[in-house]
Amino acid sequence: MGTPVSIPLYILLSLLILHSLSSNSSAYSDHPRHRSSKHAPRFLGKFSRPFNQIHQQNEYEYETLFFEQRLDHFSFAKLPSFQQKYLINTHHWVGPSRLGPIFFYCGNEGNIEWFAANTGFLWELAPRFGAMVIFPEHRYYGESMPYGSREIAYKNASTLSYLTAEQALADYAVLITELKRNLSAQACPVVLFGGSYGGMLAAWMRLKYPHVAIGALASSAPILQFEDIVPPETFYDIVSNDFRRESISCFQTIKESWDVIASKGQENDGLNQLTKTFRFCRKLNSSEDLSNWLDSAYSYLAMVDYPYPAGFLMPLPANPIKEVCSRIDSGPNGTSILQRIFEGVSVYYNYTGTVECFNLDDDPHGMSGWDWQACTEMVMPLASSKESSMFPAFDYNYTDDEEGCWIAFNVKPRPTWISTEFGGHDIKNTLKTFGSNIIFSNGLLDPWSGGSVLEDISETIVTLVTEKGAHHLDLRAATDKDPDWLVEQRESEVKLIKNWLKDYYENRRATFAV
């Protein structure tokens, strides 16, 4: 489902380098220099679990189809093709004769049904615009597996080498072009949508393929979280501020807990005690495993600090950080720091109370491909400041990333490639000169917002920033609990999209009149 030069990573999500690579190499997780750096976190929760997924998916009607894609769009080598899954709904589409628009969601790093179920805004827009809706799945995720199986596709660096943002965008461009041709809809305008990594793809696709789509809504899209474009501490500073604004004592308890966990892990029976306190299904290998698990929870809580109950990453209450801090702060006198932390983090990992024990290796949505992407082109540096962060202080060290990725995949990251391919430096002048029709929407509670575009660039490249918004909240379905500012944000987006379509139709009429 997007993750950001030295950068903070929010996203949506913050896993330690150990987290990202532990499933690939135990040697790397024991690397003595690991503590000095963190790898690009997943944008979506590694430990999130499907919650009412069947109900959510049945909420929206679509046909599931497959499209044959080239494995490599940028060479003429004879390589096997693969089947890309996409979801399509034409129920509200007014058809090619009336130039009905096509709303196209740029699939993220996971099963496409999951994103379709959590992007209600797009489904709700379809009848208002008479639009077709398409949700394509990102290559190497879900059922869109090259080489016929996940096992072969993920075998090594050679088979994974076609898992890139560039190839994914080419997939989308080819899919749109061929579908429009098959439907005699070549003149129908396409509007792109995407959240998180999908939002990054939507923005980049609008820039790379301006002839394919007339505009893009890029929600929570940290396209600036690369190289040294934003300070590397930004991500963790925003997460920390989200907790600090709820409770200073909660913030302080979390800040103090890391040393307590590390000390307990050094005791003779310490790992057994930590395993028991935090109810893991198997004994912890190290206290760092627990710290990574907690780091992830706090980061994802900041991302999905929605004003109403939701189950995007986990089933959570409204304003989940408030609930976490309430539990941390409300323990009776004498309650240990570790017990307070467990009570708080249980809001994220077990709010329903149905989980008997916790695993460290869950990947319910098939997102492990992000580990490869983070080790190749999605190089998003992280750091944590001693003064303003509730996380342990650390500096970004590229050497650690490079060594870990070599162990895990036998590849070395290319930290400057994304900004070379898509831009990022001097973004205002670049987009003002060469771009148009992009909405960058962000909520400032979302730690990934620190790596996104937060100021209007031109009359047609605009930002919609909400103080209390979280990770692509605007793309979620409308509810009767939506605050007024969220309703207004979505209406602003609708108005901008209407203007894009109006301009497109007027220009087309003018062209034919001439």
Side-chain angles (χ1 to χ4, degrees):
M1 172 95 245
T3 243
V5 178
S6 272
I7 9 177
L9 265 202
Y10 39 63
I11 16 231
L12 136 350
L13 299 142
S14 263
L15 289 180
L16 298 178
I17 193 162
L18 170 65
H19 242 167
S20 295
L21 298 174
S22 58
S23 62
N24 295 296
S25 172
S26 59
Y28 185 60
S29 61
D30 293 332
H31 194 280
R33 300 177 64 187
H34 162 62
R35 292 169 183 257
S36 69
S37 183
K38 293 188 180 182
H39 202 59
R42 299 169 187 241
F43 286 93
L44 301 170
K46 178 178 180 181
F47 304 104
S48 60
R49 293 176 175 81
F51 177 63
N52 282 342
Q53 279 301 95
I54 295 177
H55 170 72
Q56 289 184 18
Q57 290 171 15
N58 288 341
E59 217 173 292
Y60 307 115
E61 296 181 359
Y62 49 75
E63 185 177 5
T64 301
L65 299 174
F66 288 84
F67 179 80
E68 185 174 0
Q69 287 282 11
R70 294 178 60 91
L71 182 59
D72 184 1
H73 292 285
F74 307 111
S75 80
F76 292 90
K78 188 175 182 180
L79 295 168
S81 59
F82 72 96
Q83 296 295 312
Q84 179 184 25
K85 178 197 284 186
Y86 66 98
L87 316 178
I88 183 170
N89 181 302
T90 58
H91 180 70
H92 300 289
W93 190 42
V94 296
S97 63
R98 296 174 60 186
L99 300 184
I102 298 171
F103 289 170
F104 189 93
Y105 183 91
C106 296
N108 302 47
E109 70 286 23
N111 303 331
I112 192 57
E113 292 88 352
W114 189 33
F115 297 104
N118 286 280
T119 312
F121 179 60
L122 195 155
W123 296 102
E124 291 162 1
L125 287 187
R128 296 178 64 174
F129 285 88
M132 178 194 305
V133 173
I134 303 175
F135 277 81
E137 192 164 67
H138 194 297
R139 57 169 55 202
Y140 285 83
Y141 293 101
E143 295 182 59
S144 301
M145 283 294 160
Y147 302 103
S149 74
R150 180 186 184 86
E151 181 181 7
I152 300 176
Y154 281 64
K155 185 178 181 180
N156 54 41
S158 176
T159 57
L160 278 166
S161 63
Y162 306 102
L163 172 50
T164 67
E166 298 89 336
Q167 296 282 5
L169 292 181
D171 287 341
Y172 298 157
V174 170
L175 176 61
I176 291 171
T177 302
E178 292 302 314
L179 284 180
K180 290 177 71 173
R181 181 179 292 115
N182 291 339
L183 296 170
S184 299
Q186 290 93 330
C188 293
V190 175
V191 178
L192 305 170
F193 296 79
S196 193
Y197 172 51
M200 298 163 73
L201 293 174
W204 289 337
M205 186 168 179
R206 169 59 185 158
L207 295 172
K208 286 297 216 182
Y209 297 95
H211 57 290
V212 172
I214 67 167
L217 169 54
S219 180
S220 300
I223 64 169
L224 304 181
Q225 293 219 203
F226 298 91
E227 294 185 60
D228 56 356
I229 302 175
V230 298
E233 302 84 9
T234 305
F235 178 82
Y236 279 111
D237 279 354
I238 294 176
V239 175
S240 300
N241 287 336
D242 288 352
F243 280 82
R244 185 189 285 109
R245 67 191 288 271
E246 291 296 346
S247 166
I248 295 294
S249 59
C250 172
F251 170 93
Q252 196 61 36
T253 298
I254 294 172
K255 189 176 181 69
E256 294 172 3
S257 70
W258 310 108
D259 286 341
V260 175
I261 291 170
S263 296
K264 177 63 68 174
Q266 295 299 315
E267 297 178 4
N268 288 337
D269 195 43
L271 291 179
N272 279 327
Q273 293 180 45
L274 290 174
T275 299
K276 183 177 180 180
T277 298
F278 287 89
R279 289 171 47 186
F280 289 109
C281 302
R282 291 178 292 182
K283 181 182 175 181
L284 290 166
N285 292 321
S286 70
S287 61
E288 196 168 3
D289 285 350
L290 171 58
S291 295
N292 294 343
W293 188 72
L294 295 171
D295 176 287
S296 297
Y298 301 142
S299 300
Y300 297 134
L301 281 161
M303 290 174 53
V304 295
D305 196 19
Y306 298 145
Y308 52 74
F312 176 46
L313 298 182
M314 291 287 201
L316 293 171
N319 307 116
I321 289 181
K322 182 185 291 292
E323 180 67 20
V324 170
C325 284
S326 174
R327 294 195 186 187
I328 288 176
D329 290 342
S330 63
N333 290 338
T335 302
S336 70
I337 283 183
L338 292 182
Q339 188 59 42
R340 289 177 186 274
I341 294 298
F342 173 73
E343 293 299 329
V345 78
S346 292
V347 172
Y348 182 74
Y349 286 119
N350 193 21
Y351 185 65
T352 62
T354 59
V355 180
E356 295 183 359
C357 64
F358 302 106
N359 290 304
L360 289 175
D361 55 357
D362 289 353
D363 186 14
H365 301 293
M367 298 180 295
S368 60
W370 187 256
D371 298 343
W372 164 266
Q373 290 187 260
C375 266
T376 50
E377 59 182 7
M378 293 295 172
V379 183
M380 304 172 173
L382 288 174
S384 177
S385 61
K386 182 178 181 180
E387 296 76 18
S388 55
S389 174
M390 70 181 189
F391 297 89
F394 68 91
D395 296 321
Y396 178 70
N397 187 324
Y398 170 73
T399 302
D400 286 353
D401 270 8
E402 185 178 60
E403 292 176 1
C405 292
W406 185 259
I407 292 171
F409 298 108
N410 202 33
V411 297
K412 292 185 178 181
R414 298 174 63 183
T416 64
W417 174 246
I418 286 294
S419 60
T420 301
E421 174 72 3
F422 299 114
H425 297 285
D426 196 18
I427 193 70
K428 289 185 178 180
N429 286 332
T430 301
L431 292 188
K432 189 173 183 179
T433 303
F434 299 105
S436 66
N437 291 4
I438 303 176
I439 303 168
F440 290 101
S441 64
N442 284 279
L444 296 183
L445 296 182
D446 179 11
W448 289 114
S449 66
S452 187
V453 179
L454 300 177
E455 297 180 1
D456 289 353
I457 289 177
S458 68
E459 291 185 1
T460 60
I461 299 183
V462 301
T463 60
L464 297 174
V465 180
T466 55
E467 181 179 353
K468 297 181 180 180
H471 200 51
H472 52 72
L473 175 59
D474 54 321
L475 293 185
R476 297 183 60 78
T479 75
D480 56 7
K481 297 181 177 64
D482 289 343
D484 291 343
W485 56 263
L486 178 56
V487 175
E488 293 171 2
Q489 178 186 6
R490 291 191 179 120
E491 284 305 311
S492 295
E493 292 168 351
V494 169
K495 182 178 180 180
L496 288 165
I497 294 170
K498 282 183 177 179
N499 286 338
W500 296 344
L501 291 169
K502 178 175 175 287
D503 289 344
Y504 173 81
Y505 294 136
E506 289 180 351
N507 289 336
R508 185 171 177 81
R509 283 195 297 269
T511 299
F512 275 95
V514 171

